[in-house]
Amino acid sequence: MNLKNALNEEQREAVEYINGPSMIVAGAGSGKTRVLTYKIAYLIDKGYEPSSILALTFTNKAAQEMKERIKKLIGAKANQLWMGTFHSIFARILRAEAAKLGYDSNFSIYDRDDSVSLVNNIMQEYNINHESLTPSGVQHKISFLKNQMITPDEYLSHIAQTPVEKKIGEIFLNYNKKLKENNSMDFDDLLLKPIELFNNHLRILQKYRKQFKFILVDEFQDTNRAQYELLKLFTTSRVKLCVVGDDAQSIYGWRGADIRNMLEFQKDFPKAKVFRLEQNYRSTKTILAAADSVIKNNADQIKKTLWTNNNDGEQLTIIRCSDEKDEAFQIAKQIKKEVSSRKISFNDIAILYRINSQSRALEEALRREKIPYQIIGGVEFYRRKEIKDLIAYLRVLANQNDEESLLRIMNFPQRGIGNTSISKMIAFSRKLNINLFTTMARVFEVIEVKERIQKNVKQFKLLLNKYIELKDKLSLPELMAALVDELGILRMYKEENTPESLQRYENVQELLAAIQQFAKENKGATIHDFLAEVSLLSGADQYDEKENKVTLMTIHAAKGLEFPVVFITGCEEDIFPLNPKFDSDSKIDEERRLFYVAITRAQEKVFITYARSRYRFGEVAYQSKSRFLEELNPETFTELNKAGSRKGGRKKASYYNEFYQESYDDFNQERRSLRVGSKVVHDIFGRGKILQIVGNGDMQKVTVDFENVGRKTLLTKFANLKLV
C-alpha cells in the first residue's frame, strides 16, 4: 500500500506503527478519520484478518462513514471488521453470552426515558415522595454511579449518609433488580455487564482476546471509566491498542467522560508511543489562531501546536445584539449575505448554540426569511411518543418479561384498562412472583379487577399472543404494517385531525418506511435486529449533509462536523459558559474546550453573537459578554456594534418590527395543541405536566409541574415546550 502520497509524514508514522500500544493526539481538522481509515487498511495489508480488528467509535454515523472509506481501499473485506460504537459492539457480545449472566439473548435495551419510567414506577410502588426526590434526578444519579462503577451495595455501605442518599441507594438496588426481572439492560449496563462477564468468566475473556488482535479507539478523550476498563481487559502483549483523540475536544465530562484517560495514558501503558498530528487541513490561519488563543488558558492539556498551509482568511466577526430577536435577525441577514457573496449553499452554514432553548428565536427568523433549515438533536425521532409506543409493542413481542414496555402499551390505544386495574394486576404478580405478562393470562383470578376490564385485558393478551406467533412467520415490515392496521393507530390520529395528531400520523408512516428500508438493507432481518439497531441510535446520527438547509444544533452535536461558515450564538456569561458559578476549574475548562470545538468547526468564516438582554425563565435577564470573548486574540476578530441596529431611520425600524409582529402561532403548530394534562419537556427544567393555561396570543401563560424543579409559570411564547 502506497502511503507516501496519501498521508503527511506524521500521519504516515502513526499509521505504520503497529508493534505496541500507541496514542495519536489528533488536533482539530488534522485528518484523524483519514489516519484511522488507512491504519485499518494497513493492518489488513500486513496480514491481519479483518475479523481480528476491533474499531470502536462514538456514533453509528462515524462507524458507517469509516467503513465506507475502508471499503474503497480494500473492498468487501471491510464488512468483516468489528466496527461500531462501544455500546453496539458490547451489546452484540452480550447477546452472544447473555446466558452466562442469567439473561436471555432477546434482552431489551432501555434508553433514558425508559429508565426514568422504571425509577418512577419503583418510587410509586414504595410510596416515595416526589418532593424530595424526582424520578429524573434519581435516574441521573444512578447513571452517574454506574459510570463510576459503584454498585448499590457499595453506595449504601460506604457513600450514602443522609436519609435522601439512603433512599436513592434503595431505589438503585430495586432498579437493578427490576431490570434483571424484565430481562433488560440500560445503556450503562452495556458497558458494565461485559466487565462483569469477563471478570467472572476468564475463558470468555480469553476467547475475545484470541479473536481481537488489534483494537482501535476513536474519540478516546470521551471515554469513561468503564470503557477504559474494558480496553485494559482486552489489551495484552498479543493484543495491540491504538487510541486516537484530542484532549482539547473533551466535552462530555457531565456524562461521565474522564479526560484523565488520555492525560494519563502513558502511566497505564509506559511503552506506548505518542504521535502528534498538528497540521490542520480544515481552517484558515486566523481561525486556528483564535481557537488557540482561548484554549491555551486551560491548565491540563497535552502540548501541541496546530498549524496550517491554508491562507490567512478573514477575521472572526463578533456581533453585539440587543436581545435574542435582534440576534436572530442579524444572523438571518448575514446568512443571506454569505450565500450571495461566497456563492455557497445553505448546507454550508451551521448555527451552533449552547442550549436547545436558544433555537426558538433563530427558527422564527429563518422561517420569516424563508431560509430552509434542519435541527439536529431536538426530540429525536425514536424518542417521540407515538414512535416509542410502537417500539414498545415490538419490544413486548420480542421479550415478554419487559414490564416497562408492557405498561406503556397496556392502555394504548385506549382499551379501558385504567391505572387502578393495572396497579391491582401488578400487586397480584408481585404476590405470586410472576411477571405481568403471565398475570394477564390469569386476570380472572384478580378479583379486585372488574369483569368488564378483565375481558379487555384478555382481548389485549390475545392480540399480543397472535403477533408473538406471527413474528417468526411474517417479514418485519409485514408484521409492523399488520399490527399498526389492527391497532387502528393511523385512523385514530387522522380522525383526531389536530396539528399534533397529523404530525404523529406522519411520524408513524415514517416509522413504517424506516422499517421497510431497514429490511431492504438487511436481508432476513428480524424484530431483534431492528430493536438492537434503533435502541442504540443517537441524536448525532440524524445529521444529513445532503439536505440543502442551514443546520441548527448544539455545539456538543457538532463535534466531528465541519462547515465553511459557522455562527456561534449566545456567547454570554451564564449561557456560554453555561454557569460562571462553577465549583471547580475543571468545569470551566470543559466549557472552554467546548468553545474551542465550536470555533474549529469552521473552515472559512466564524460569526460570534451575544446579546445585552435575553428572555429567560419567563423574564428579561440582562446579560454580560462571555469571558471567552475576552480571551480571544484581538488581532483575530472585528466587532460590530449591532445593539442599536433598529435605530437609524424609519425604514429600518419598520422592517425590524414587521419582521417580528407576525403571529407566533404561524411558527409553532405544536403550541396550539398544548392542553391541560399534556406531558411536555422544557430544555432547562426537564419533563413536566401542564396544570393550567391562562390567556392567549403572546400573553398566554402556562403552569407546569416539572419533575425536577416543581411548579413554574411561563409565557408560552418563550417556554419552548415540546410534547412527549
Side-chain angles (χ1 to χ4, degrees), residues 340-355:
S340 174
S341 63
R342 290 182 194 273
K343 308 298 181 190
I344 59 176
S345 302
F346 287 120
N347 61 3
D348 292 323
I349 299 171
I351 304 175
L352 309 181
Y353 36 80
R354 180 64 183 85
I355 49 180

Side-chain angles (χ1 to χ4, degrees), residues 90-146:
F90 287 103
R92 181 177 170 184
I93 290 173
L94 285 170
R95 291 207 185 276
E97 313 293 347
K100 300 290 192 303
L101 293 169
Y103 286 81
D104 293 333
S105 62
N106 63 343
F107 61 81
S108 299
I109 299 172
Y110 283 9
D111 63 18
R112 184 182 180 278
D113 291 341
D114 300 321
S115 295
V116 170
S117 177
L118 178 55
V119 168
N120 183 51
N121 288 337
I122 291 169
M123 290 174 68
Q124 287 181 354
E125 195 169 330
Y126 289 90
N127 296 314
I128 296 173
N129 196 325
H130 279 212
E131 288 183 12
S132 58
L133 288 172
T134 65
S136 181
V138 173
Q139 187 277 335
H140 181 78
K141 181 69 174 179
I142 289 172
S143 181
F144 176 81
L145 292 170
K146 284 191 170 189

Side-chain angles (χ1 to χ4, degrees), residues 432-471:
L432 272 65
N433 197 26
I434 58 177
N435 66 23
L436 187 57
F437 189 82
T438 304
T439 297
M440 290 170 63
R442 299 175 60 176
V443 69
F444 292 107
E445 297 176 41
V446 187
I447 55 176
E448 297 90 345
V449 175
K450 293 178 182 177
E451 186 178 345
R452 172 180 56 82
I453 298 172
Q454 289 176 342
K455 290 178 180 177
N456 292 341
V457 172
K458 181 184 177 184
Q459 286 301 117
F460 179 45
K461 178 70 163 52
L462 289 172
L463 174 84
L464 293 176
N465 286 345
K466 171 183 173 181
Y467 283 93
I468 289 168
E469 189 177 335
L470 284 173
K471 72 181 172 65

